[in-house]
């Protein structure tokens, strides 16, 4: 719970956890990557 509270306030830098970024239109590819743990994925960020 502490992490959830502090992420929006910027107290915890989550940037190192995001290994891949995808546009919303490419969400299926992002899910495939994450679900199958491909390419060293840790966390996927989906951007508008």
């Amino acid at each position: 719970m502490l992490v959830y509270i502090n992420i929006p306030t910027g107290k915890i830098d989550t940037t190192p956890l995001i290994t891949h970024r995808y546009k919303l239109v490419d969400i299926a590819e992002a899910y495939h990557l994450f679900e199958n743990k491909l390419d060293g994925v840790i966390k996927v960020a989906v951007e508008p």
Side-chain angles (χ1 to χ4, degrees), residues 11-30:
K11 291 182 181 179
I12 296 176
D13 181 14
T14 59
T15 306
L17 301 176
I18 299 171
T19 56
H20 296 75
R21 294 180 184 274
Y22 283 87
K23 295 287 184 185
L24 187 56
V25 297
D26 298 320
I27 192 75
E29 185 179 344

